[in-house]
Amino acid sequence: MADETGFATMGRAAGAEQIDESGIGMLGYAFMGKAHTNGFRTLSYMAWPPPLLPRLVAIAGRDEAAVTEAARRYGFERAVTDWRAIVEDPEIGLFDNGGPNDLHAEPTIAAAEAGKHVICEKPLGRHAAESYEIWKRVAQTGVVHMCAFNYRFVPAVRLARQMVEAGELGEIHHFRGRYLQEWGATSDEAWRFEKDRAGSGALGDLGTHVVDLARYLVGEIDTVAALTATFQPGRQVDDAFEAAVRFENGAVGTIEATRFATGRKNAFAWEINGSKGSLAFDLERLNELQISIGNDGFRTRLVSEADDPFWAWWWPHGHMIGWEHTFVHELHHLLEAIAGRTTVAPHGATFEDGYRASEVCDAIVASADTGERQAVRYRSLP
Amino acid sequence: MADETGFATMGRAAGAEQIDESGIGMLGYAFMGKAHTNGFRTLSYMAWPPPLLPRLVAIAGRDEAAVTEAARRYGFERAVTDWRAIVEDPEIGLFDNGGPNDLHAEPTIAAAEAGKHVICEKPLGRHAAESYEIWKRVAQTGVVHMCAFNYRFVPAVRLARQMVEAGELGEIHHFRGRYLQEWGATSDEAWRFEKDRAGSGALGDLGTHVVDLARYLVGEIDTVAALTATFQPGRQVDDAFEAAVRFENGAVGTIEATRFATGRKNAFAWEINGSKGSLAFDLERLNELQISIGNDGFRTRLVSEADDPFWAWWWPHGHMIGWEHTFVHELHHLLEAIAGRTTVAPHGATFEDGYRASEVCDAIVASADTGERQAVRYRSLP
Amino acid sequence: MADETGFATMGRAAGAEQIDESGIGMLGYAFMGKAHTNGFRTLSYMAWPPPLLPRLVAIAGRDEAAVTEAARRYGFERAVTDWRAIVEDPEIGLFDNGGPNDLHAEPTIAAAEAGKHVICEKPLGRHAAESYEIWKRVAQTGVVHMCAFNYRFVPAVRLARQMVEAGELGEIHHFRGRYLQEWGATSDEAWRFEKDRAGSGALGDLGTHVVDLARYLVGEIDTVAALTATFQPGRQVDDAFEAAVRFENGAVGTIEATRFATGRKNAFAWEINGSKGSLAFDLERLNELQISIGNDGFRTRLVSEADDPFWAWWWPHGHMIGWEHTFVHELHHLLEAIAGRTTVAPHGATFEDGYRASEVCDAIVASADTGERQAVRYRSLP
Amino acid sequence: MADETGFATMGRAAGAEQIDESGIGMLGYAFMGKAHTNGFRTLSYMAWPPPLLPRLVAIAGRDEAAVTEAARRYGFERAVTDWRAIVEDPEIGLFDNGGPNDLHAEPTIAAAEAGKHVICEKPLGRHAAESYEIWKRVAQTGVVHMCAFNYRFVPAVRLARQMVEAGELGEIHHFRGRYLQEWGATSDEAWRFEKDRAGSGALGDLGTHVVDLARYLVGEIDTVAALTATFQPGRQVDDAFEAAVRFENGAVGTIEATRFATGRKNAFAWEINGSKGSLAFDLERLNELQISIGNDGFRTRLVSEADDPFWAWWWPHGHMIGWEHTFVHELHHLLEAIAGRTTVAPHGATFEDGYRASEVCDAIVASADTGERQAVRYRSLP
């Protein structure tokens, strides 16, 4: 519980300390635009003092009326209908790309080459070649870059990582990850079913999250044997994929994602089994981590204690936070990196992580297409 | 899922529509001050367009350095060290009282008598007489008043209310509610254990929430038979209470609260059994409502669909919100009432609701003290 | 896992050892008759070697055709239509009374006075006076007596008792127990709604189980403040009761039972909170004990390990047993007591336990009738 | 609830009806021998009247003292040390083979060729060729044959099958099945790790169960892409396998099993997603079926109602049965088939089912060995 002033547990005193600003330019004002804006606005007082104070400078979108209203609603100083206006804007220090997948490469590279730090929604590119190009071009500029795999910033996921790193699970034998949604028959966002715009279906949208957490929690995937499926007649992209995987450290498991799991709203669930213990998680209960150390059964650990990851910013224990706060944590981490207080890796995903996830996804597609198990090969920068 | 503009499902277009402001003055900058501020800030863009745009005018606290920093952090225009400065401030239209229980009556009454709308944290007063006085004096002024029973604004609770009202459970036979926390041996907030300042212990702090939801979901309590307990030597207030209760409509049940339930972080759990079905809820899983219609078993309803209460403001289904968002909903509802678009009752708690909860709590104390079952008698305004 | 012989973990070698027989006479061949017969038959090979080998001598019932068929089905040597034939039968050493509540006193006392050991279904009597009379008269004969509170023989309950006794929960602060069923509108067993035959409704049928486990796990109840309810018009017995209780050791809690909890099939659920930890249980998941030691969350302990109570008789861990096996354990314990290897108390319920549960139930009725909190007073034998 | 006679809901009256006997000969007296014996003994009174009354004639094992004691314990008329004595015994009509995998083929074929009906533990053979041989040779004799896939006889599994058959899930899109245990580092049953005796490790022991239920609930598997792993140095058999699978009807999914899932005791869990609904199950909660029809969330269906599969034999609803009772149901079904009242298929597994599961397992091994996706090809009888 907080004391009467609240500052002891809920933030340190900033006093008259100067807090520098970071000018934000955002592409996209729909689902991700809203989530990111909420993240910037909330971190400015929840994590006190913030590493940099986000200043919402400009937001870009094609529909002038809609983007104008978005600017008013979310508090951006101006709305623009061409993302190039953001890339050129000297008041902007950070470019946040929440557009559809086919708008990831060009604006992100242009922003970085104009000297802006960049964050880009996942999947980084629509395939490994595009992801590699984005990573390579941006890395050459020296700016800070982050691929928005926000589930690394679920407190329970970060706690899991801490436990794995500390050896609490022993040698890892298994990872099984699945991301189950149910809305595959229809969507309001038509671009998600178009091959040119989305690149892939459940694979890029949901599967990349599974791949990224598998890599973050267990290690590099080196082998995949996979199938894909498209249930909806005439659909251009996959509705689901199923993969058996092997990790470099010898662990084996399954990875899958689908938009056709009736009854599962947002069930991004994974389990890790090690020689000493196991962990299990389901995003539908995002404040809980199931922990079994030894053989005594899984306990439901409410990840909401004062010393849990990110928790010092929030509430007394047992008072849940929401899905949207993964973005608060993620963007705070990014601002810390921009401020030079930390690096994006290893807890945030860099564009290299974005690229590596793409390689695994491409291998899944190749295995499904050829019927042959694929070794995943990762490229380095030249 | 949102479409590309996001406005279809996430808010309606406000266009160039004028949005009036409401000047906010707040007492207290600790736990509740933080939660309420976050509520005001978030509702201004999540529920678009907001009924009134909150303008954070002034925040009051005794420690000048701390309240000055709170104002900077949360974006209040000024900090004051005497709450009277808020009561007199012509720019303030809404007084939000998040101070300790012994600071509820005087400032709240003064603000109302100065023409400010008022919201006051629960319990309204430290006992029924004080609560009645607050209600009576404020009601006489004609301002809008709300007692901050925020759990009425959990989407799952509102959905439960809708189901009960629609008769989906049939005739109600049982309510069992308990609020279990575990921190009773120590607290950072010392005033919570002082009889003069808090009025009571688990009863006023947690039990009032149980009583309020019992009343909101089932109806008026007319009989209580209760025990209280103080486990900690030397403590002035109750650590727990246990009550058997009867409702005016014939339902019977149990109501209890404790700060000594080791392992229970914030387990405000209740269950309702009716002739046609049952509902169960636990705040530790606040996005879930357990529903059993007929005999086929309880289903875990993720309350996160587009047509669920409050959900149009938020995210695609399955993307959880947090505890803090009960305040977003509550304060939004209050602003709608101030804007004349709705009334605080029945979904928000008025000061009459705050007073009635106090009567039940007083009856619990009386039953525990005398050993006799108590009929709860409610006073009307003169 | 068992070795190839299976005897290492699943029973010890009896070799040519003589196993004495115990002649069983049973009253009642319906629900409880079936459950007890299954218990006797199963224990004879599951718990190897059994303390005594049950020999199913005679079964009594009023309907000659039905009891004749029951004897054939369950393997009794003979069927009788008058329980007195069992009481007088020299081949019978153990009288098992599974008849309706109004047939508990006379046959049980007669059997004991004829020198038979006796087990009687709960509630022992229809009220404390009758229970006391049964206890007193039977105790005077010196036979072994057991009241069939079978839930003491759930492995998870026995494990809970072991943990409480070992101090793993610290000082006990709370017990909350409820027994929820849903069939109260109708029943095939009409006698359960008749005051003369059943004594009471949910109280004697379900509530006695809650009271007995409260006593077994926490200690003697010394105070009750209670309400009862009858929802069904014209019904002679209670459909539900709700009680606040205090224990001699200072713990407080709630006890309740109902036959009107739609959706709850057989939810006998209890929770204990102590200063060091908590336990929770629900009969609908009878192989699980929820354990929280310290603040780290409740773990789901599958009570099915080789060293768990009763488990050496059964299967490899994780292979569940059923509700019916509580009777296997209970009757085995009784045969061990008859064989002189243990005593019924403390793990089995004696007739004194049956009587004490009746006193608590009578106090609940008295509190409901008078509106006054009741101190529970227990009589001793003269 | 049962009425006072209990026969209305718990069995029909057999009156003076003749019940024919079936002479049972059993190979093996360890884990499976115990489970099967308990099944035969229990079905003789639980499912009243039984289709045939099992008469426990002889049990075979190599250790004379041990098998002699087993016969005494379980009630077999005689013990033999050579299984051939059973095969030749004219009093035996049903041969029950619960021996290790390398003792499946020869005794089972010999018994069938001697005219005995046969039931054989899973996996039928150690590989598809052996399984095919057993099936072919036994089928030629015309006896009734069953492969003991007991999980088809979990009431929740049978209910799932009924729902799928009735089209309640719509078109099936996904099956994900896993069988997780944790004891892989050591076992009391050494033969389970020997390639010659067991054939395979987790694959044949646990994986066959997953394959069989996948086939029973969804349909034939036609494609597998798989990996296997052996974690324990020097071990001859697989410790785990992971497979992506496709069914003939277009559904896709994952199948896996491991003995290295720390904290998972006996977690045979599967989920089916169809266009109209989904089902989920976990053997650790064997009386529960998770059902989601439409999008309203999964409900926990306690499969213990009077009209649930097998339930008329047992208890009032909500009173759980145990894992061992899958054998009661299975052996009852077999006796019904022997009595000519039903056929083993489709609800029981025949030797053809045993063989087909072997083909899938062989394909998993082949895919793991070659790195190529395998089409599963099934042979017919000549």
Side-chain angles (χ1 to χ4, degrees):
Chain A
M1 303 297 288
D3 70 358
E4 275 179 81
T5 65
F7 288 99
T9 58
M10 291 182 174
R12 65 182 177 80
E17 179 188 323
Q18 173 69 29
I19 305 175
D20 292 333
E21 286 186 343
S22 172
I24 311 294
M26 187 172 291
L27 171 57
Y29 47 83
F31 180 18
M32 279 302 124
K34 183 177 176 180
H36 283 232
T37 305
N38 182 61
F40 282 123
R41 290 184 61 130
T42 304
L43 74 84
S44 70
Y45 56 90
M46 272 295 167
W48 187 255
L52 292 168
L53 200 61
R55 177 181 152 214
L56 302 178
V57 176
I59 186 165
R62 276 168 296 199
D63 178 326
E64 183 168 1
V67 74
T68 301
E69 177 143 351
R72 183 183 179 204
R73 176 178 185 176
Y74 297 120
F76 284 86
E77 297 171 14
R78 48 187 174 270
V80 299
T81 55
D82 186 342
W83 56 261
R84 288 168 191 83
I86 291 176
V87 165
E88 295 159 4
D89 191 330
E91 294 185 86
I92 286 172
L94 169 60
F95 177 66
D96 182 334
N97 191 339
N101 299 353
D102 60 332
L103 272 178
H104 286 185
E106 190 185 359
T108 301
I109 293 169
E113 294 185 341
K116 318 300 188 200
H117 303 295
V118 288
I119 175 169
C120 183
E121 261 306 317
K122 39 57 61 180
L124 184 55
R126 285 164 290 180
H127 40 67
E130 187 174 68
S131 296
Y132 182 78
E133 180 72 10
I134 299 173
W135 172 38
K136 186 185 71 175
R137 296 276 295 277
V138 170
Q140 285 167 345
T141 68
V143 301
V144 172
H145 49 87
M146 179 184 248
C147 185
F149 282 119
N150 61 306
Y151 294 129
R152 293 184 177 212
F153 293 91
V154 172
V157 171
R158 179 69 71 87
L159 179 59
R161 162 87 179 204
Q162 288 175 6
M163 293 180 70
V164 172
E165 276 193 322
E168 294 186 55
L169 306 194
E171 186 184 350
I172 306 301
H173 290 130
H174 293 294
F175 176 85
R176 61 189 66 83
R178 54 185 180 275
Y179 203 141
L180 310 180
Q181 294 186 343
E182 65 178 352
W183 54 273
T186 56
S187 170
D188 294 335
E189 296 182 295
W191 67 266
R192 293 185 180 276
F193 298 140
E194 295 168 24
K195 174 89 175 165
D196 282 354
R197 301 190 67 195
S200 64
L203 179 63
D205 182 20
L206 307 178
T208 47
H209 277 303
V210 186
V211 168
D212 184 64
L213 280 200
R215 294 182 59 250
Y216 181 58
L217 294 172
V218 177
E220 295 296 347
I221 293 169
D222 72 5
T223 308
V224 302
L227 301 168
T228 56
T230 300
F231 302 114
Q232 196 80 347
R235 180 152 300 167
Q236 300 173 7
V237 296
D238 62 281
D239 289 326
F241 76 92
E242 316 284 337
V245 300
R246 190 187 310 273
F247 292 80
E248 287 181 359
N249 60 15
V252 295
T254 56
I255 286 182
E256 51 181 333
T258 181
R259 290 163 169 171
F260 278 79
T262 307
R264 300 294 180 194
K265 306 296 175 186
N266 201 24
F268 180 9
W270 50 260
E271 178 167 333
I272 301 173
N273 305 125
S275 56
K276 294 182 183 170
S278 294
L279 301 175
F281 174 82
D282 186 336
L283 186 60
E284 292 188 359
R285 289 177 171 165
L286 73 76
N287 290 275
E288 299 179 11
L289 184 63
Q290 300 287 325
I291 304 173
S292 173
I293 299 300
N295 300 334
D296 272 353
F298 282 78
R299 61 191 163 90
T300 300
R301 172 71 154 76
L302 233 44
V303 188
S304 65
E305 302 284 336
D307 54 354
D308 280 336
F310 307 108
W311 212 262
W313 307 351
W314 297 99
W315 314 107
H317 68 194
H319 294 69
M320 307 293 92
I321 59 171
W323 166 86
E324 61 275 7
H325 294 152
T326 58
F327 296 94
V328 180
H329 305 158
E330 176 182 79
L331 296 171
H332 181 272
H333 182 75
L334 175 61
L335 293 181
E336 284 216 307
I338 292 173
R341 297 183 186 172
T342 188
T343 54
V344 171
H347 294 303
T350 64
F351 281 5
E352 179 173 10
D353 293 302
Y355 155 68
R356 286 183 165 238
S358 284
E359 283 288 8
V360 176
C361 291
D362 277 19
I364 287 169
V365 171
S367 177
D369 287 351
T370 64
E372 291 177 10
R373 191 159 67 208
Q374 301 291 311
V376 187
R377 299 197 205 292
Y378 302 100
R379 300 169 65 187
S380 301
L381 289 184
Chain B
M1 303 296 289
D3 70 358
E4 276 180 80
T5 65
F7 288 100
T9 57
M10 291 181 174
R12 64 182 180 80
E17 177 188 323
Q18 173 69 28
I19 305 175
D20 291 332
E21 286 186 342
S22 172
I24 311 296
M26 187 171 290
L27 171 57
Y29 47 82
F31 179 19
M32 279 302 124
K34 183 177 178 180
H36 283 232
T37 306
N38 182 62
F40 282 122
R41 291 184 62 132
T42 304
L43 74 85
S44 69
Y45 56 91
M46 272 296 168
W48 187 254
L52 291 169
L53 200 60
R55 178 181 151 214
L56 303 178
V57 176
I59 187 164
R62 275 168 295 201
D63 178 326
E64 184 168 2
V67 74
T68 301
E69 178 144 350
R72 181 183 181 203
R73 177 177 183 175
Y74 297 120
F76 284 86
E77 297 172 14
R78 46 187 175 272
V80 299
T81 54
D82 185 341
W83 55 262
R84 289 168 190 83
I86 292 175
V87 165
E88 295 159 5
D89 190 331
E91 295 186 87
I92 287 172
L94 170 59
F95 176 67
D96 183 335
N97 190 341
N101 300 353
D102 60 332
L103 273 177
H104 286 185
E106 190 184 0
T108 301
I109 293 169
E113 294 185 341
K116 317 301 188 199
H117 304 296
V118 288
I119 175 169
C120 182
E121 261 306 318
K122 38 60 57 180
L124 184 56
R126 285 163 291 180
H127 40 67
E130 188 175 64
S131 297
Y132 183 78
E133 180 73 10
I134 300 172
W135 173 39
K136 187 186 69 174
R137 296 277 295 277
V138 169
Q140 287 166 346
T141 68
V143 302
V144 173
H145 48 87
M146 179 184 248
C147 185
F149 283 118
N150 61 307
Y151 294 128
R152 293 184 177 213
F153 294 91
V154 172
V157 170
R158 179 69 71 90
L159 178 60
R161 162 88 180 204
Q162 288 176 4
M163 294 181 71
V164 172
E165 276 193 323
E168 294 187 54
L169 306 193
E171 184 185 350
I172 305 302
H173 291 131
H174 292 294
F175 175 84
R176 61 189 67 82
R178 55 184 180 275
Y179 203 140
L180 310 180
Q181 293 187 342
E182 66 178 351
W183 54 273
T186 56
S187 168
D188 294 336
E189 296 183 294
W191 67 266
R192 293 185 181 275
F193 298 139
E194 294 168 24
K195 174 89 174 165
D196 283 354
R197 301 189 67 194
S200 64
L203 179 62
D205 182 21
L206 307 177
T208 47
H209 277 303
V210 186
V211 168
D212 183 65
L213 280 199
R215 295 183 59 250
Y216 181 58
L217 295 171
V218 177
E220 294 296 347
I221 292 170
D222 72 4
T223 307
V224 301
L227 300 169
T228 55
T230 300
F231 301 115
Q232 197 79 347
R235 180 155 298 169
Q236 300 172 7
V237 296
D238 62 282
D239 288 327
F241 77 93
E242 317 283 337
V245 300
R246 189 186 313 270
F247 292 79
E248 287 181 0
N249 60 14
V252 295
T254 55
I255 287 182
E256 50 181 333
T258 181
R259 291 165 168 169
F260 278 79
T262 308
R264 299 294 180 196
K265 306 295 176 189
N266 201 24
F268 179 9
W270 49 260
E271 177 167 333
I272 300 174
N273 305 125
S275 57
K276 295 183 182 170
S278 294
L279 301 175
F281 174 81
D282 185 337
L283 185 61
E284 292 188 358
R285 288 176 172 167
L286 71 77
N287 290 275
E288 299 180 10
L289 185 63
Q290 300 288 325
I291 303 174
S292 173
I293 299 300
N295 299 334
D296 272 353
F298 283 78
R299 61 192 164 89
T300 300
R301 172 74 154 72
L302 233 44
V303 189
S304 65
E305 302 284 335
D307 54 355
D308 281 336
F310 308 108
W311 212 263
W313 307 351
W314 297 99
W315 314 106
H317 68 195
H319 294 70
M320 308 292 93
I321 59 171
W323 165 87
E324 61 275 7
H325 295 152
T326 59
F327 296 95
V328 179
H329 305 157
E330 175 181 79
L331 296 171
H332 181 273
H333 181 75
L334 176 61
L335 293 180
E336 284 216 307
I338 292 172
R341 299 183 184 172
T342 188
T343 53
V344 170
H347 294 304
T350 64
F351 281 5
E352 181 174 9
D353 293 302
Y355 155 68
R356 286 182 166 240
S358 284
E359 283 288 7
V360 177
C361 291
D362 277 18
I364 287 168
V365 171
S367 178
D369 287 351
T370 65
E372 290 177 11
R373 190 159 68 208
Q374 301 291 310
V376 187
R377 300 197 204 292
Y378 302 99
R379 300 170 65 185
S380 301
L381 287 185
Chain C
M1 303 298 287
D3 71 358
E4 276 181 80
T5 64
F7 288 100
T9 59
M10 291 182 175
R12 64 183 178 80
E17 179 188 321
Q18 172 68 29
I19 305 175
D20 291 333
E21 285 186 342
S22 172
I24 312 294
M26 187 171 292
L27 171 57
Y29 48 82
F31 179 18
M32 279 303 123
K34 183 176 177 181
H36 283 232
T37 305
N38 183 61
F40 282 123
R41 291 184 61 131
T42 305
L43 75 85
S44 70
Y45 56 90
M46 272 296 167
W48 187 255
L52 292 168
L53 200 61
R55 178 181 151 215
L56 302 179
V57 175
I59 187 165
R62 276 168 296 198
D63 178 327
E64 184 168 1
V67 73
T68 300
E69 178 142 352
R72 181 183 180 204
R73 176 178 183 174
Y74 296 119
F76 283 86
E77 297 171 14
R78 47 188 175 270
V80 300
T81 55
D82 185 341
W83 56 262
R84 288 169 191 83
I86 291 176
V87 165
E88 296 159 4
D89 190 331
E91 294 185 86
I92 287 172
L94 171 59
F95 176 67
D96 183 335
N97 191 340
N101 300 352
D102 60 333
L103 273 177
H104 286 185
E106 190 185 358
T108 302
I109 293 169
E113 293 185 342
K116 317 300 187 198
H117 303 297
V118 288
I119 175 169
C120 183
E121 261 306 317
K122 40 57 60 181
L124 183 56
R126 286 164 291 179
H127 40 68
E130 187 174 65
S131 296
Y132 182 78
E133 180 72 9
I134 300 172
W135 172 38
K136 187 185 71 175
R137 296 277 294 276
V138 170
Q140 286 167 345
T141 68
V143 301
V144 173
H145 49 88
M146 180 184 247
C147 184
F149 282 118
N150 62 306
Y151 294 129
R152 293 185 177 211
F153 294 91
V154 172
V157 170
R158 178 69 72 89
L159 178 59
R161 161 88 180 203
Q162 288 175 6
M163 294 181 71
V164 172
E165 276 193 322
E168 293 187 56
L169 306 194
E171 185 185 348
I172 306 302
H173 290 132
H174 292 295
F175 175 85
R176 61 189 67 82
R178 55 183 180 275
Y179 202 140
L180 310 180
Q181 294 186 342
E182 65 177 354
W183 54 272
T186 56
S187 169
D188 295 335
E189 297 182 295
W191 68 266
R192 293 185 181 277
F193 298 139
E194 295 168 24
K195 175 88 175 166
D196 282 354
R197 300 190 67 195
S200 64
L203 179 63
D205 182 21
L206 307 178
T208 46
H209 277 304
V210 186
V211 169
D212 184 65
L213 280 200
R215 295 183 59 249
Y216 181 59
L217 294 172
V218 176
E220 294 295 348
I221 293 170
D222 72 4
T223 308
V224 302
L227 300 168
T228 56
T230 300
F231 301 115
Q232 197 80 346
R235 180 153 299 167
Q236 300 173 7
V237 296
D238 62 282
D239 288 327
F241 77 92
E242 316 284 338
V245 301
R246 190 187 310 273
F247 292 80
E248 287 182 0
N249 60 16
V252 296
T254 56
I255 287 181
E256 50 181 332
T258 181
R259 291 163 169 172
F260 278 79
T262 308
R264 299 294 179 196
K265 306 296 175 188
N266 201 23
F268 180 10
W270 50 259
E271 177 167 333
I272 300 173
N273 305 125
S275 56
K276 294 182 182 171
S278 294
L279 301 175
F281 173 82
D282 186 337
L283 186 61
E284 292 188 359
R285 288 176 171 165
L286 72 76
N287 290 274
E288 300 179 10
L289 184 63
Q290 300 288 324
I291 303 173
S292 173
I293 299 300
N295 300 333
D296 272 354
F298 282 78
R299 60 192 164 89
T300 300
R301 172 72 154 74
L302 235 44
V303 188
S304 65
E305 302 283 336
D307 54 355
D308 280 336
F310 308 108
W311 212 263
W313 307 351
W314 297 99
W315 314 106
H317 69 195
H319 293 68
M320 307 294 92
I321 59 171
W323 166 86
E324 62 275 6
H325 294 152
T326 58
F327 296 95
V328 180
H329 304 157
E330 176 182 79
L331 296 170
H332 181 274
H333 182 74
L334 176 60
L335 293 181
E336 285 215 306
I338 292 172
R341 297 183 186 173
T342 187
T343 54
V344 171
H347 294 304
T350 64
F351 281 5
E352 180 174 10
D353 292 302
Y355 155 68
R356 286 182 166 240
S358 284
E359 283 288 9
V360 177
C361 291
D362 277 18
I364 287 169
V365 172
S367 177
D369 287 351
T370 65
E372 290 177 11
R373 191 160 67 208
Q374 301 291 311
V376 187
R377 299 196 205 292
Y378 302 99
R379 300 170 66 187
S380 301
L381 287 183
Chain D
M1 303 298 290
D3 70 357
E4 275 179 81
T5 65
F7 288 99
T9 58
M10 290 182 174
R12 63 181 179 82
E17 177 188 324
Q18 172 70 27
I19 306 174
D20 291 331
E21 286 187 341
S22 172
I24 311 296
M26 187 171 291
L27 171 57
Y29 47 82
F31 179 19
M32 278 303 123
K34 183 177 177 179
H36 283 231
T37 305
N38 182 61
F40 282 122
R41 291 184 61 131
T42 304
L43 74 85
S44 69
Y45 56 91
M46 272 296 168
W48 187 254
L52 291 168
L53 199 60
R55 178 181 151 216
L56 302 178
V57 176
I59 187 164
R62 276 168 296 201
D63 179 327
E64 183 168 2
V67 74
T68 300
E69 177 142 352
R72 181 183 181 205
R73 176 177 183 176
Y74 296 120
F76 284 86
E77 297 170 15
R78 47 187 175 272
V80 299
T81 54
D82 185 342
W83 55 262
R84 289 169 190 81
I86 292 176
V87 166
E88 296 159 5
D89 190 332
E91 295 186 86
I92 287 172
L94 170 60
F95 177 66
D96 182 335
N97 190 339
N101 300 353
D102 59 334
L103 272 178
H104 286 185
E106 189 184 0
T108 300
I109 293 169
E113 294 185 342
K116 317 301 187 200
H117 303 297
V118 288
I119 175 169
C120 182
E121 261 306 317
K122 38 61 55 181
L124 183 57
R126 284 163 292 181
H127 40 68
E130 187 175 66
S131 297
Y132 182 77
E133 180 72 10
I134 299 173
W135 173 38
K136 188 185 69 175
R137 296 276 295 278
V138 169
Q140 286 167 345
T141 67
V143 301
V144 172
H145 48 87
M146 180 183 247
C147 184
F149 282 118
N150 61 307
Y151 294 129
R152 292 184 177 212
F153 294 92
V154 172
V157 170
R158 179 68 72 89
L159 178 60
R161 162 87 180 205
Q162 289 175 6
M163 295 181 69
V164 172
E165 276 193 323
E168 294 186 55
L169 306 194
E171 185 185 350
I172 305 302
H173 290 131
H174 292 294
F175 175 84
R176 59 189 68 81
R178 54 183 180 277
Y179 203 141
L180 310 180
Q181 293 187 341
E182 66 177 352
W183 54 272
T186 56
S187 169
D188 293 335
E189 297 183 295
W191 67 267
R192 292 186 180 276
F193 298 138
E194 294 169 24
K195 174 89 175 163
D196 283 354
R197 301 191 65 196
S200 64
L203 179 62
D205 181 21
L206 308 178
T208 47
H209 276 304
V210 186
V211 168
D212 184 65
L213 281 200
R215 294 183 60 250
Y216 181 58
L217 295 171
V218 177
E220 295 294 348
I221 293 170
D222 73 3
T223 308
V224 302
L227 300 168
T228 56
T230 299
F231 301 115
Q232 197 80 347
R235 180 154 300 169
Q236 300 173 6
V237 296
D238 62 281
D239 288 326
F241 77 93
E242 316 284 336
V245 300
R246 189 185 312 272
F247 292 80
E248 287 181 359
N249 60 14
V252 296
T254 55
I255 286 181
E256 49 182 331
T258 181
R259 292 164 169 170
F260 277 79
T262 308
R264 300 295 180 195
K265 306 296 174 188
N266 200 23
F268 179 10
W270 49 260
E271 177 168 333
I272 300 174
N273 306 125
S275 57
K276 295 182 182 171
S278 294
L279 301 176
F281 174 81
D282 186 336
L283 185 61
E284 293 189 357
R285 288 177 172 166
L286 72 77
N287 290 274
E288 300 179 11
L289 184 64
Q290 300 288 324
I291 303 174
S292 173
I293 299 300
N295 300 333
D296 272 354
F298 283 78
R299 61 190 163 90
T300 300
R301 171 72 153 75
L302 233 44
V303 189
S304 64
E305 302 284 336
D307 55 354
D308 281 334
F310 308 109
W311 211 262
W313 307 350
W314 297 97
W315 313 106
H317 68 194
H319 294 69
M320 308 292 92
I321 59 170
W323 165 86
E324 61 275 5
H325 294 152
T326 58
F327 296 95
V328 179
H329 304 157
E330 176 181 80
L331 295 170
H332 180 272
H333 182 75
L334 175 61
L335 293 181
E336 285 216 306
I338 291 172
R341 298 183 185 173
T342 188
T343 53
V344 170
H347 294 305
T350 63
F351 281 5
E352 180 173 10
D353 292 302
Y355 156 68
R356 286 182 166 240
S358 283
E359 283 288 7
V360 177
C361 290
D362 277 19
I364 287 169
V365 171
S367 177
D369 286 351
T370 65
E372 290 177 11
R373 190 160 68 210
Q374 301 291 312
V376 187
R377 300 197 204 293
Y378 302 99
R379 301 169 65 185
S380 301
L381 287 185

